[in-house]
Structure formats: C-alpha cells, structure tokens
Amino acid sequence: MADVKDALLSVLPTIRVPRAGDRVHKDECAYSFHTPETDSGLYICMNTFLGFGRPYVEQQYNKTGQRAFLNIKRTPKMKSDESNSGTGDPPRKKPTRLAIGMEGGFDMTEEQCEYEEVLKLVILPEFLEIPRDGLSGLPEMVRDRVSSAIDAILSADSASRKQEIQAWDGEVRQVSKHAFNLQQLQGVPRIPPCGWKCSVCDLRENLWLNMTDGAIFCGRRYFDGSGGNNHALQHYQETGFPLAVKLGTITPDGGDVYSYDEDDMVLDPNLAEHLSHFGIDMMKMQKTDKTMTELEIDMNQRIGEWEVIQESGVQLQPLYGSGYTGIQNLGNSCYLNSTMQVIFSIPAFQRKAKLGHGLLSGEYSKPALEKDSDIAPEHKGLQDGLAPRMFKALIGKGHPEFSTNRQQDAQEFFLHFINMVERNCRSSSNPNEVFRFLVEEKIKCLVSQKVKYTQRVEYMLQLPVPMEAALNKEELSAYEQCRLQAEREHRPPPELVRARIPFTSCLEAFAAPEQLDEFWSAALQAKSNALKTSRFASFPDYLVIQIKKFTFGLDWVPKKLDVSIDVPDELDLSDFRGGGLQGGEEELPDVAPPLVTPDEPKGSLGFYGLDDDDSYCSPHFSSPTSPVLDESVVTQLIEMGFPAEACRKAVYYTGNSGAEAAMTWVMSHMDDPDFALPMSGASAPLSASTGGDPPSEEHVATIISMGFSQEQAVKALRATNNNLERAVDWIFSHIDDLDAEASMDLSEGRSAAESVSESLPPAGPRVRDGAGRYELFAFISHMGTSTMCGHYVCHIKKEGRWVIYNDQKVCASEKPPKDLGYIYFYQRIQS
C-alpha cells in the first residue's frame, strides 16, 4: 500500500477533473480503433482525457510524461431474460415510432448484449494497477481527488458522441400556421364516418379530407406505383386550400394532418373543432388506415432488408483479414462506409489516416459474437468491424448535413472529403492527385466563328443519363401502359421494367455540343449564340464516374431514374482527349472587364453591363485603384491548392465575377513567371482580411501540454484558422508527417521556418496525366427513392475477385450488379 500511496501522490498534481468544454475521448483510441471492448481495454489520460490503446499508451507517456491513466475494460456477456424460454433470444421489438434512439423507435444499440465493466487506475511507466475499489485505504484527500476525476470521466459525454445527433425523431411536427385561422366554407355536406372514396378516381384508401371545403381526394403516388393518384395535391394547386387530414387515421388522440402550403406533416390543435364543421365527432372515430409514420416505417424496413440489397437470397462467403474489414453503421452512415472502403483501397490514401490502417491491418476483421444459433443464413458472417466515431466527427464537424445522423448523398460526401484533404495537405504529399484531372472547354461563337479555350480542375466525371437512348423502348411503353391500367383497376403494379441505356450513349451525351444562348462575344462586343464542348485535357490515375440518376420531375419533385447501364470492365477514353487550339481556328479576344470606380455612373460598363446593371459598379470597390476582393471566391481557389496571391489576382482581373471566371483565369496564367507573386503598387487589391491572426498563446500551450512541440502546435493552429479542436484533430491525423519533419530538421540543423518554407506547394494544383485506358475496380450502389433515404453498399475488386462491403458484412460477391451502380471507380491500365 505504501508503494501505491507514493505513486498516487507523485501523479496527483497531474490528475484533473473534466470541466465544461473538455472533450473526453473514452470510446476510441486517438491512434487506432482500440475501444474499451478490446482485449486490453482503453487507457484515458487523466490530464488530457485522450484515449489510447495498449500499444500506444506507453508511446504517449514517453512523449508527454503523463503517468496517470484510467483503464476501462468492458467484456460482453449474455443478457439474462427470465421471460426467454431458452430457445433463443427474444425477438427484436417492431418499431412503432419513426425515430432513432427513442422509445418505440429504431434501436441502434446491441440490445441482446450487456457488458461487465472493470475500472483500474494505471500508473506508468511501471503499469502499476490500482482497482477502483482499492482506493479505500488511501488518505481522504487523495481518495476524493482521484474518485472525483474517475466519476467525472465516466459521467461525461464522449467527445465523439457529443457531436452526433443521438436521437432523431421523425415524428416531431410543428403547429401549422393555418391551424388558428383556417377558413372553412359554409354549406358543405356532412362527411359519413365510413365508406369514403376519391371524388375523381374512386380510390377507397389513402384518402384525404380537405378541411376548407370538405372535398375528399386520394393522396400522392409512391415511387413503386402504389399510393394514390395525386388528386388531393391537384385540388390544393387549384384552390389554395392548405390543410387536409388523412381519413382512417382519426382517433380521439388526433390524426395525420398535412399542410400543402408548408409542405410538411403538421399539428392542428383545433382538429376536433375543424372536423366537427363536417359533422365528424373525433372522439368516436377509430383507426382504419395506416398512419404516415407507419407507412414510412414499413418503407424503411423494406429498404433495410437484405432482400432489397443486391445479391439477395444468396448465402455469400464471409471474408476476414487484411483489407476485408467491415465498418459499423453509426446511424445512416452507410454512405460514409461505402465511400471510405473504396478510397482506402487506393494506395495513395492508405498511409494518410488511422482509418486506412484500421481497415488494412486485419486487427478488427474478426467474426462477431453470434448470440443466436437460429440466425438466418443471410445474416451470418457479420464482423465486429470498426466504428469510426472520431473520423465521422472530424469530417463532419461544422457541416450542416455530414455532422448529423441523416442519410446523405455518397457523391456529395466524396467531394466533401476531397475538399477536406485539400485543406490539410498543402505542405505535404496530396493523395487527391490520383483523382485530379483537367477538363478542356471550347466555346465557339456561332456568328464570328472564333473560339475560346479554358480548363478547369475536376475530381469526378458526371455523366448524364439520356433516356431517349434506351434500347428497350417498346418494352418500356408496354410496361407503362400495364402500370396505368393496374392503377385504374386498383391492381398491384406489374413487374418493374428498367430502361437499358448504353454506356456509350452516356459518354456521347457528355461530349455533345451544348447550345449557349445569350453568350457575350468579345469579338462582336454583343450577345450571340455559341456552342460549348467538353473534352479531357488530362487523364487521372483513378477516374471517378458518377451516373446522374437523381433528377427532378415536371412537378419539381426529386426522383431517381431506375435504369440499367452496361458499364464496361475496360474503358478507353483516348478519343475524348482535347487538343487545344486547332489549325485554322481564331481565338476570341481575351479582354478583362474594366475596374470601375465609384465616380463612374451606373451603367457605364460598356459591353460588360446593361443600363440597369451595376454588377461591376461601386458596391464592389472602395477606391479607383484598390478594388475589394470577394474573399469567398479567393478562399475557394486557395482550397483547391492554388497559391494565395495567384487566387487574389484571378479574382481581381476577372472583376469579382465569380469562381468560374476566376478559375478560368488561373488555368490560363499558371505558366506566367509572376503567377504566384503578389501584386504591387496602386493596383494591389484590398482584402477583407489582410493576413491570419497569430495563433492563440493559450491554444499553443494546450497543445504543447499534450506532448507536441511549439512548432507543431503553431503549424496545426495555422492550418485550422486557430481553431483548437480542429487543430488537435489535425495534428493527430498528420502525426507521421510532423515526426518526420522534426527528425529531418534536427538532423540537418534547419529551423522550423526554413522547413515550412521549403515544403510550400508548387504554383497551381499538380495534375497527373497518362493514357486514357482504364479498368473498373470498384463501384458504389444506392437502393432507395432518393439520396436522402435508402442504403449504400460498395463492391471492390480485390485479388482477382469482387467483394461486397455492406457495413459490417464483407463477403465474396457472386454476381456484382455492375449495371445498377451509382458511382464507378476506374484505375489506369499501365502499358
């Protein structure tokens, strides 16, 4: 006990009690995916509250000198259930509420397993272990201080979970703005308590009563052809009467009320009064139809079942080991899981983040504990996988969508991830280079016949879906007639027929000339018509292709094109390479818009503006010689990897006319000798912010206390605009680069400033180029009606075979559905 007492007294000054604002990382190791459930548990530093797995806790001690750690070890055990007969676990309760993490909603927890938790205070470097109940013999001051710190760590919200929306309630509805002043027409007929039908099509289900005039119409048509025929919506469009209640859902507790004006399900506190206007006694009504919540729950469960996912009904062979690690779904995070599985199958990314190490190490690719011997065959083979909570919190921090638990578009997430990498790889090798390519745009004035060539940076090729190119038009026409007839006769819709679109037609639609109306021709100094064509100016190492399946109907309702596209295993795009200015072509004059001073009258822009157009006038400029730049455009260009001064000049010389014009200027002047040099003299533009603020001394001290050098702390804060939380995340994601730089600086006797200046990126983003021949190696598929719902899986070709990654399930693919993909990934075929 004397040794324990001496050890505790020596570390007592470093033990802190978490305060408001402290981030407690007790779910996941900062360097790996060790959790309290791993064999050795998780070690939480009792000073910085960072979590570490057993292989890394000693490394952290050597770096920081911090000795006191709380070890949390959880061991799963079977949940006892007296009501269970012993033949298996009780069935999972069917959700009754459209919610996550709430009573009656979808349960995202492992409800069939509970944990036995063991807590120990560990003192390094001896790894002296003191059980939680072993503190009783210590002096009261020591015992109280240590116990308070342990209790506060255990009760604190985990840092990663703090940034997640733990509970989502899809049933939270707002009171309608029409509820207290709803107009109700006089002389309307009384509505009977049953026997309703649509006033137009005679449908007898999914019926809505308009609470202004008492008209009864059918509801909206669902994506699968079921539901109604949109007659209630059409009635609102014709009359403007806003509120309707779904007949069959009315009970003494209320009913489903929809506001067409507010385009949402709403609450009507005066529902009983409004219904009594039509002779309906709400207190005597009984439920006879499914509520909208029940319909949405049914839809979500159908979408989430394996039968809807590709390769359903087949018992696939589970795969384990390096490169075959599943990812836990953290709540509608399948879009992230699928995207990152593909990205971290590319060597350039594998060494850049702990997520890549976790997926490739094989350490977390082990079969999950199967608690039910009677589990369905298609659900066997699940892995424990890894739970990227810290990664999700980091990548989504501050983003209005990716910081939530809502479903997202995998294409938008891919581009968001690319943007985040660009922000944080300015002084080191950038893995994004494998995706980056240039698109050449040629605009030809149809009057002067002169041309203009520009280039832009892209990371993804978006291909339109030309429905007019379908190979089975007759079959589609027959299917549509059968579907309409089934609707009229209230029969189930016929078996779905997909449009079969040739992939070559999608490429041709991308490359086809686009008509530009109202094009301003610098040659004519007047408006003209023009043609724009797009070609590749370079071919990347890895080409990402998105099939633009999501579009809007004539009523502006989002819809998904259910098509089959014969995507090839090998792709040759050589014929789509641009060649720049051709012989016999004459360029349009390259005239920059004049910089207008406040003294010039409105409408004095000549050919750049109309008499009533002041888009380049005084509001944008502060003096005749020093225009104020649009900092948002400057920032956009900088985040793409271009030098700051070049970006400022691009916005200046294009007269604050937007990101596209500025990008065109950048691509046209990248070879200028003064491209990255600052502007000088009276023409130098003013900036809303003339340089970054110096890093906060308090933030620097906080990072230094974690064991990092002052140079590393300053670099991290500057890279994240002096944001402490982002700087800590940044420094851990760049730890290998920082350690390598520090070692090189010491060995070569260089200062930190010299090291940073030598690592500045070259002018302009680096673009790799090569042959335009590719081989398909991965694709992401989406199931559902829109990007905001449904499910994502990905298929990746590894070791000569296709593998399906469906969250925690990784299996050998029997029949990869390459024709139904959403995003395709090709790699260059090396000659």
Side-chain angles (χ1 to χ4, degrees), residues 705-719:
S705 72
M706 298 180 184
F708 301 101
S709 68
Q710 180 171 356
E711 291 78 9
Q712 292 171 334
V714 170
K715 187 171 184 179
L717 289 166
R718 284 178 174 168

Side-chain angles (χ1 to χ4, degrees), residues 498-502 549 561-567 819-820:
R498 290 189 175 93
R500 291 188 285 110
I501 311 294
K549 290 186 173 184
L561 301 177
D562 198 351
V563 296
S564 170
I565 300 178
D566 61 340
V567 176
D819 61 322
L820 301 179

Side-chain angles (χ1 to χ4, degrees), residues 185-256:
L185 303 184
Q186 299 299 318
V188 295
R190 296 175 65 85
I191 304 299
C194 59
W196 314 294
K197 64 178 181 179
C198 175
S199 300
V200 176
C201 65
D202 291 339
L203 274 180
R204 294 183 178 272
E205 58 184 14
N206 190 19
L207 299 175
W208 295 77
L209 169 70
N210 189 287
M211 290 195 290
T212 294
D213 61 2
I216 298 176
F217 295 100
C218 61
R220 300 176 191 249
R221 180 182 295 114
Y222 304 141
F223 76 98
D224 60 357
S226 62
N229 293 317
N230 299 322
H231 290 140
L233 173 62
Q234 293 172 9
H235 182 66
Y236 161 72
Q237 293 170 341
E238 295 169 358
T239 63
F241 299 156
L243 295 187
V245 61
K246 186 176 184 183
L247 295 172
T249 69
I250 303 171
T251 69
D253 296 324
D256 278 1

Side-chain angles (χ1 to χ4, degrees), residues 303-323:
I303 289 174
E305 290 174 351
W306 183 255
E307 287 75 18
V308 182
I309 299 173
Q310 318 298 350
E311 304 188 62
S312 61
V314 179
Q315 186 172 349
L316 302 176
Q317 176 193 352
L319 299 175
Y320 305 99
S322 175

Side-chain angles (χ1 to χ4, degrees), residues 588-630:
L588 284 163
D590 185 11
V591 181
L595 294 177
V596 183
T597 71
D599 296 328
E600 293 186 59
K602 184 175 182 179
S604 62
L605 294 173
F607 61 86
Y608 283 100
L610 303 175
D611 290 340
D612 59 350
D613 181 7
D614 62 351
S615 57
Y616 293 104
C617 282
S618 56
H620 290 281
F621 306 109
S622 61
S623 75
T625 57
S626 299
V628 176
L629 301 182
D630 185 340

Side-chain angles (χ1 to χ4, degrees), residues 46-78:
M46 300 189 71
N47 181 269
T48 64
F49 312 117
L50 292 170
F52 303 94
R54 179 61 177 83
Y56 301 97
V57 64
E58 195 166 7
Q59 173 184 327
Q60 182 69 6
Y61 160 73
N62 293 330
K63 181 185 288 288
T64 66
Q66 297 292 344
R67 299 177 58 199
F69 293 83
L70 175 64
N71 177 251
I72 303 178
K73 174 72 172 71
R74 288 199 288 261
T75 304
K77 63 179 182 178
M78 294 305 301

Side-chain angles (χ1 to χ4, degrees), residues 16 94 183 218 422-423 458 463 524 604 610 716 807 823:
R16 294 176 50 224
K94 182 179 179 180
Q183 177 190 8
C218 61
E422 291 290 350
R423 291 183 185 180
E458 292 287 358
L463 293 184
L524 304 175
S604 62
L610 303 175
D807 292 337
I823 304 175

Side-chain angles (χ1 to χ4, degrees), residues 743-794:
S743 300
M744 186 176 295
D745 293 342
L746 290 174
S747 64
E748 299 182 7
R750 296 183 299 178
S751 67
E754 291 171 333
S755 174
V756 171
S757 65
E758 289 183 14
S759 64
L760 289 175
R766 291 183 54 186
V767 178
R768 303 180 185 180
D769 196 8
R773 296 183 60 241
Y774 292 93
E775 179 182 10
L776 181 68
F777 82 95
F779 61 94
I780 296 173
S781 303
H782 172 266
M783 284 71 68
T785 58
S786 78
T787 56
M788 298 298 106
C789 68
H791 187 59
Y792 287 95
V793 300
C794 71

